[in-house]
C-alpha cells in the first residue's frame, strides 16, 4: 500500500520569501508523484507532476519540486511567494501499473502568505 | 471545454434523508472518478468508471452509497439514509485513457452538510 505524509499542516510565510512544503511517500514500487493546489471553494488544480526522467520538475506559477528516491521525498519549492499563493497544497502519489491508478493524497498543507 | 461540472455546489440535509449529486465530466473523457474530502484531510478515492462500467470501489463506499454512469457521460452519486459522518466535500474528476492520473481534471465539488 502507498501513503503520503505532509509534514506541515500549516506554513505561514511573508510575501517575497522562499517557501518549501514537505512531502514524503511510502511505497515499495516506483511511483508517480503530484502536487495539487486548492483555492477556497474550488476544486484541485495540478501544479506539477513527476512521472520519470529529470528529478527536478517545474510547474505552473513558479513552483518546482525535486524527486528524491533515496529519501522518498517530493518537496515543493518556490523562491518568492505572492499573496495569491495562499491556498491548500496537496501532495499525491500513484502507481504507474495500478489497475485504476487512482491518486492517494496527503492531508494537505495550508500555505498562508503574509503581507 | 467547460471543465468538470458538479451540482449542486452545496447541499444541506437532515440525517436519514437521501441525497444525489451529479457530475458532468469533460465531454470526451471516458474515465470518471469520485473522491471524498473531509475537513482537514486530503481527498480519498471512492470509485471510478470507465465509460459506463464501474470498475473499482473503495471500502469507504458503504452499501448506502451508489454511483452510476448510465450512458458513459454524466455520473450520479447517491447517499441513502445520510449520517452526520457523511458530511464532506464530494469531488468528481475525469480523464482520458490512457492518460488517467497523469491528466486528471477536478470539479469544484459538492459540499454536503448533514444536520
Amino acid at each position: 500500500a502507498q501513503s503520503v505524509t505532509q509534514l506541515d499542516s500549516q506554513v505561514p510565510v511573508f510575501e517575497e520569501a522562499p517557501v518549501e512544503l514537505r512531502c514524503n511517500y511510502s511505497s515499495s514500487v516506483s511511483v508517480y508523484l503530484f502536487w495539487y493546489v486548492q483555492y477556497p471553494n474550488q476544486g484541485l488544480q495540478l501544479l506539477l507532476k513527476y512521472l520519470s526522467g529529470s528529478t527536478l520538475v517545474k510547474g505552473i506559477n513558479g513552483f518546482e519540486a525535486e524527486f528524491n528516491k533515496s529519501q522518498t521525498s517530493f518537496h515543493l519549492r518556490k523562491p518568492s511567494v505572492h499573496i495569491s499563493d495562499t491556498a491548500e497544497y496537496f501532495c499525491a502519489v500513484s502507481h504507474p501499473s495500478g489497475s485504476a491508478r487512482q491518486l492517494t493524497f496527503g492531508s494537505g498543507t495550508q500555505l498562508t502568505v503574509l503581507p | 471545454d467547460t471543465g468538470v461540472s458538479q451540482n449542486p455546489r452545496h447541499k444541506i440535509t437532515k440525517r436519514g434523508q437521501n441525497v444525489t449529486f451529479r457530475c458532468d465530466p469533460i465531454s470526451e473523457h471516458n474515465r470518471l472518478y469520485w473522491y471524498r474530502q473531509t475537513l482537514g484531510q486530503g481527498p480519498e478515492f471512492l470509485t471510478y468508471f470507465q465509460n459506463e462500467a464501474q470498475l473499482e470501489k473503495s471500502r469507504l463506499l458503504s452499501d448506502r452509497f451508489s454511483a452510476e454512469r448510465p450512458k458513459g457521460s454524466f455520473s450520479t452519486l447517491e447517499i441513502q439514509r445520510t449520517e452526520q459522518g457523511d458530511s464532506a466535500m464530494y469531488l468528481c474528476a475525469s480523464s482520458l485513457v490512457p492518460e488517467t492520473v497523469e491528466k486528471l481534471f477536478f470539479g469544484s465539488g459538492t459540499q454536503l452538510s448533514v444536520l
Side-chain angles (χ1 to χ4, degrees), chain A:
Chain A
Q2 58 204 19
S3 64
V4 178
T5 302
Q6 292 185 242
L7 298 164
D8 305 299
S9 60
Q10 299 200 31
V11 173
V13 63
F14 286 106
E15 192 174 17
E16 297 183 5
V19 70
E20 178 180 83
L21 306 184
R22 296 181 294 169
C23 172
N24 286 85
Y25 68 93
S26 173
S27 176
S28 58
V29 298
S30 62
V31 293
Y32 291 163
L33 293 157
F34 305 82
W35 275 98
Y36 281 84
V37 60
Q38 186 175 35
Y39 298 101
N41 301 315
Q42 294 188 28
L44 285 83
Q45 180 182 1
L46 180 66
L47 272 179
L48 48 79
K49 59 189 175 188
Y50 171 78
L51 305 182
S52 64
S54 173
T55 57
L56 183 62
V57 180
K58 294 189 182 297
I60 62 171
N61 300 340
F63 284 94
E64 64 180 31
E66 186 158 18
F67 170 55
N68 188 320
K69 187 174 182 179
S70 62
Q71 297 188 5
T72 60
S73 67
F74 191 56
H75 301 332
L76 181 71
R77 302 186 183 100
K78 186 170 182 177
S80 175
V81 294
H82 303 292
I83 297 287
S84 59
D85 292 324
T86 294
E88 186 98 27
Y89 291 79
F90 293 96
C91 182
V93 64
S94 173
H95 282 168
S97 58
S99 58
R101 296 163 64 182
Q102 68 267 26
L103 296 169
T104 299
F105 287 87
S107 57
T109 298
Q110 174 64 46
L111 174 65
T112 302
V113 180
L114 307 168

Side-chain angles (χ1 to χ4, degrees), chain B residues 32-72:
Chain B
L32 186 149
Y33 297 80
W34 284 99
Y35 284 81
R36 182 178 71 182
Q37 185 179 15
T38 53
L39 197 61
Q41 298 298 317
E44 296 172 294
F45 169 75
L46 292 178
T47 187
Y48 89 97
F49 293 83
Q50 183 152 323
N51 299 312
E52 66 275 9
Q54 187 174 17
L55 297 185
E56 186 169 338
K57 294 192 286 187
S58 160
R59 63 181 182 275
L60 294 175
L61 212 65
S62 75
D63 291 343
R64 296 184 296 105
F65 288 70
S66 63
E68 293 182 345
R69 194 182 184 199
K71 297 183 179 180

